[in-house]
Amino acid sequence: MLSLVRTFLLTASMLVATLPIDAGDRPNILLIMADDLGYSDLGCYGGEIKTPVLDAVAERGIRFSQFYNTGRCWPTRGALLTGYYAQQIRRDNLDGVPSGGRGVRQPWAQLLPNMLKPLGYRSYHTGKWHIDGMPLQNGFDRSYYLQDQSRFFSPLQHYMDDKRLPKVERGTDFYATIALADHAIEVLKEHKANHGEKPFFHYLAFAAPHFPLHALPEDIERYKDKYKRDWEVVRNERHQRQLKMGLLNTKLSEVESDVGPPYHFPEHLEILGEGEVNRPVAWNSLTEKQKDFQATKMAIHAAMIDRMDREIGRVVKQIREMGELDNTIILFLSDNGCSAEIMVRGDGHDRDAPPGSADTYLCLGPGWSTTCNAPFRMHKTWTHEGGIATPLIVSWPSGLKARGEFRHNPGHVIDIVPTLVELAGGEVPKRLNDKAIPKAPGRSLAAALRKDGSVKHDYLWWYHDGHKAVRVGDWKAVAANGQDWEVFDLANDRSERNDLAKKHPQRTKRLVETWEKKKEEFKKLALTDLPPKKPARKGAPRKGKRPASKQTLINGETFKLMGKKAFVMMPKKSKRSNPQPWIFYAPTLPAYPDTHEKWMHSSFVKAGVAVAGIDVGEAYGSPKALKFFDGLYDQLTKKRGFAMKPVLFGRSRGGLWVSSWAVANPKRVAGIIGIYPVYDYTTYPGVQRAAPAYGLTPEELLKRAPELNPISKAHVLANAEIPVVLIHGTDDTVVPIEKNSNEMLRRYEKAGKRNLIRVIEIERQGHNFWPEYFQSEDLVDTAIANAKLGARQ
């Protein structure tokens, strides 16, 4: 062994202490992450799904029994590659902080590749990203970024080396899990040919087995009859294997039969049909149709994991052929627990298509998710053990003596960065551009890899979707959103069956105080080094300042109705239905819909959903304009065979029009979507400008706001159970989010209908033409699903 000498290398503006060993002597690293994988899904963690490759990796190394993630995909990925809790770096929500899934990290919150580069590493990324920025911008040398999580067979959004690729057409042999392995193998071959003297770090992030449940027919065939039996029996069998192998020593958690998906979409349940069930009820209480439907879903879930294992085998084979397997650290884990979610996005769900095919959209749901998370409670998004516990397998044949051993000390994804940097012969950087970097909470597990129990955290902390948890030693306090704190002794009750909060009030108090204290510390750190606010771009172009936009119609027809110009955009004939699902669009001024919305409207018509609107002028939601909306509605529903319940789409000022019409006609509305929509005319255009359209003085319009202002009538929409999805920028000074979209959310919440509304907040964006406003798959997929549901009502 060469003597240890500390040297400092200045690379990428970062100082890293290193060991003076040749780059070729350092270990390679293959970090594999699954998506929505349950704790007991792998064979080596008690599952019945065939995972021989990962089982073999476990036999060559170590399995952790108490390793944790954050409970959700994007917070886990930020924590995994930085060593910080997601809330510290604005990658999960904290009140009063521009944070969450679209939060932007501080400059000092570097990703692992930038820490490995001074040690001689080349870094590669394959698969899901879900971190701010792009892979090559964050230190990776090559990347295939699969952004489209709704389509395993024909993704619309994917990137090679940060450059967008054409969409994959239907009917090819593309399947995401195989494509990811293909890319990993390609860059590993390239590495061997061109950079063989350097070690590699490869981050391979599979989308499987995340919904939609899409799998190859031959993979589904292997499991088609395996799950036509009681899911609780399968759960118990997994638990017995866990006990027998020595992985755990705890009882099975109680089945929480009243806990369903974290986000409820009742309209999507109708799309899926009578086979779907959104509670983990007793198997024998299901109808035969439900049993068949649920068994099929679990078979597809198993097929996705089986295929992922096979593709990992191909990557491992490539590393073996390079002669690097013994000196490669392989890590495998999941980003959160198995998911109880049930929804329909992407290209929708065709009940007549083969389950698991591109034309279907299925989610596993809480029944089988309860089994997959055995022996623990709850699911993805929750901070009970079922949401945050992950398998962690680590193998390094030439660097670790362990073979088939377990490690029972707790660890967290924040520990991966310091662990890998230490094993690579370096230290986590302490300074960047001559400024001190805040100390990260992650702890190196290098010693734990050599000996069980040798690394301890002062605390572990969680917060997501209002769910809270903290672990100190073997004691854990956890509170589901809106519920009281529970306290568990995990040394004797890992499955969280026996709440000791009342029995140990002082301990409970100390644990809760620790959680609160850390939250405030994290918030303080999250507010450091905030990026400067970009000036918000004002609303619609004004005369003399910007050329007027031109109306852009897809398969469009224009016609006169009641003296006004109207339009209809129709799907091609093979995609049309009777009744025809449709989107009722506003504003239909001469410039709208414009080219910015082209992708959205193309997506609608390709999915078989028509779009229609009528130009009522600058009406600002005035009742005088609603008769023209009524006229177009009657024309389309009575004479053209359109559905009686469209989805209403209001962009900017159009929000006033569609919400006013929805308040007057709640039984005619299948849903509402909006892009920075106006719901309060006192914010935009203001009563001075809006008054003439209403035929009132500004003073009269303000006085009659409780009657005429759409936001004042939001309870009507909530009580009619109209689902709403809105996308809005936090820096919008033209249409302030707080008084419009977020106020709509609060009104729904007050009416007890919080589950029916979602506001997608876009940090640091104003009232502008930012492309992501108009290319939100979430918004479009929801509109399509609700429009098709409205056509069946």
Side-chain angles (χ1 to χ4, degrees), residues 213-474:
L213 298 177
H214 282 171
L216 299 171
E218 60 267 31
D219 293 340
I220 300 172
E221 181 70 19
R222 283 191 284 272
Y223 295 91
K224 67 173 185 177
D225 297 322
K226 196 169 188 67
Y227 298 103
K228 293 182 177 179
R229 59 199 190 105
D230 193 329
W231 41 37
E232 185 60 14
V233 171
V234 178
R235 182 171 180 254
N236 185 65
E237 290 172 352
R238 289 187 174 198
H239 180 230
Q240 292 303 312
R241 285 191 288 269
Q242 292 170 335
L243 296 176
K244 185 176 180 180
M245 68 175 62
L247 176 69
L248 296 166
N249 184 21
T250 188
K251 295 180 180 179
L252 268 177
S253 64
E254 299 287 346
V255 176
E256 295 177 272
S257 57
D258 59 336
V259 176
Y263 318 110
H264 184 42
F265 301 105
E267 67 278 8
H268 295 188
L269 282 175
E270 291 191 40
I271 293 171
L272 293 165
E274 56 188 298
E276 189 57 276
V277 57
N278 67 348
R279 293 292 185 275
V281 296
W283 183 261
N284 289 337
S285 70
L286 302 178
T287 66
E288 289 304 312
K289 183 169 287 188
Q290 288 173 329
K291 288 178 182 178
D292 287 344
F293 190 82
Q294 300 302 318
T296 298
K297 290 201 302 176
M298 184 59 195
I300 304 169
H301 177 79
M304 296 173 78
I305 294 169
D306 183 307
R307 173 54 58 183
M308 178 175 62
D309 186 78
R310 291 168 186 264
E311 298 309 310
I312 292 171
R314 291 175 56 219
V315 176
V316 171
K317 180 174 181 284
Q318 172 60 33
I319 296 172
R320 181 185 294 112
E321 290 175 353
M322 293 163 62
E324 297 288 347
L325 188 58
D326 283 352
N327 195 35
T328 298
I329 304 170
I330 299 177
L331 305 93
F332 176 90
L333 71 166
S334 180
D335 60 353
N336 43 249
C338 194
S339 174
E341 292 163 286
I342 295 177
M343 63 184 71
V344 177
R345 289 180 175 173
D347 298 316
H349 177 68
D350 182 350
R351 296 189 201 178
D352 297 325
S357 67
D359 289 322
T360 62
Y361 199 104
L362 301 171
C363 303
L364 193 60
W368 284 113
S369 178
T370 300
T371 294
C372 295
N373 289 328
F376 302 132
R377 286 179 64 186
M378 295 297 197
H379 319 268
K380 169 184 174 181
T381 77
W382 277 274
T383 53
H384 287 77
E385 295 289 287
I388 59 177
T390 174
L392 174 65
I393 305 169
V394 183
S395 170
W396 182 18
S398 68
L400 298 173
K401 293 181 180 179
R403 296 294 182 270
E405 296 180 12
F406 294 106
R407 295 291 182 264
H408 299 294
N409 56 286
H412 190 284
V413 290
I414 57 174
D415 300 329
I416 296 297
V417 161
T419 301
L420 293 179
V421 171
E422 179 176 344
L423 294 178
E427 291 183 3
V428 173
K430 297 181 175 63
R431 301 187 69 82
L432 176 67
N433 295 332
D434 293 327
K435 292 184 179 180
I437 296 174
K439 185 177 179 181
R443 301 281 300 277
S444 173
L445 299 173
L449 293 172
R450 300 182 177 99
K451 183 180 180 182
D452 190 19
S454 54
V455 176
K456 293 183 179 179
H457 283 272
D458 294 333
Y459 67 91
L460 291 172
W461 189 93
W462 293 269
Y463 185 38
H464 183 72
D465 265 12
H467 306 308
K468 301 174 284 190
V470 64
R471 175 171 176 166
V472 178
D474 287 325

Side-chain angles (χ1 to χ4, degrees), residues 12 37 135 438 447 486 517 600 604 624 633 747 785:
L37 181 90
E486 302 172 292
K517 179 183 177 182
M600 296 185 70
F604 292 144
K624 295 180 179 179
Y633 176 87
R747 302 263 177 156

Side-chain angles (χ1 to χ4, degrees), residues 582-622:
W582 59 298
I583 308 286
F584 208 151
Y585 173 87
T588 313
L589 298 170
Y592 300 109
D594 63 17
T595 185
H596 299 288
E597 296 172 353
K598 184 177 180 180
W599 179 86
M600 296 185 70
H601 295 305
S602 295
S603 299
F604 292 144
V605 298
K606 286 178 182 178
V609 177
V611 185
I614 185 167
D615 183 357
V616 297
E618 284 288 21
Y620 300 126
S622 162

Side-chain angles (χ1 to χ4, degrees), residues 688-701:
Q688 291 290 337
R689 287 174 60 192
Y694 283 77
L696 301 170
T697 66
E699 294 75 20
E700 290 171 334
L701 185 58

Side-chain angles (χ1 to χ4, degrees), residues 599-757:
W599 179 86
M600 296 185 70
H601 295 305
S602 295
S603 299
F604 292 144
V605 298
K606 286 178 182 178
V609 177
V611 185
I614 185 167
D615 183 357
V616 297
E618 284 288 21
Y620 300 126
S622 162
K624 295 180 179 179
L626 299 189
K627 64 181 180 181
F628 301 109
F629 273 58
D630 290 338
L632 180 61
Y633 176 87
D634 289 343
Q635 168 77 209
L636 297 179
T637 57
K638 295 178 181 179
K639 298 183 179 180
R640 299 201 184 197
F642 277 41
M644 302 301 289
K645 296 182 74 171
V647 166
L648 310 188
F649 171 20
R651 170 182 166 189
S652 190
R653 52 164 70 80
L656 285 171
W657 301 346
V658 299
S659 58
S660 294
W661 193 81
V663 165
N665 302 277
K667 293 183 179 180
R668 294 180 171 186
V669 182
I672 293 174
I673 62 170
I675 296 176
Y676 38 66
V678 185
Y679 296 126
D680 181 349
Y681 58 50
T682 70
T683 66
Y684 180 90
V687 292
Q688 291 290 337
R689 287 174 60 192
Y694 283 77
L696 301 170
T697 66
E699 294 75 20
E700 290 171 334
L701 185 58
L702 190 60
K703 185 177 181 180
R704 294 181 63 181
E707 168 196 353
L708 297 175
N709 202 4
I711 197 66
S712 301
K713 295 285 189 176
H715 62 280
V716 175
L717 310 180
N719 292 336
E721 298 194 339
I722 297 172
V724 177
V725 179
L726 313 173
I727 188 167
H728 209 136
T730 58
D731 291 358
D732 194 331
T733 58
V734 178
V735 181
I737 186 173
E738 282 304 311
K739 294 186 177 181
N740 290 278
S741 292
N742 283 346
E743 182 61 25
M744 179 70 78
L745 185 149
R746 286 188 286 271
R747 302 263 177 156
Y748 262 65
E749 196 168 48
K750 186 176 181 180
K753 306 295 182 180
R754 175 64 179 82
N755 63 310
L756 293 175
I757 184 168

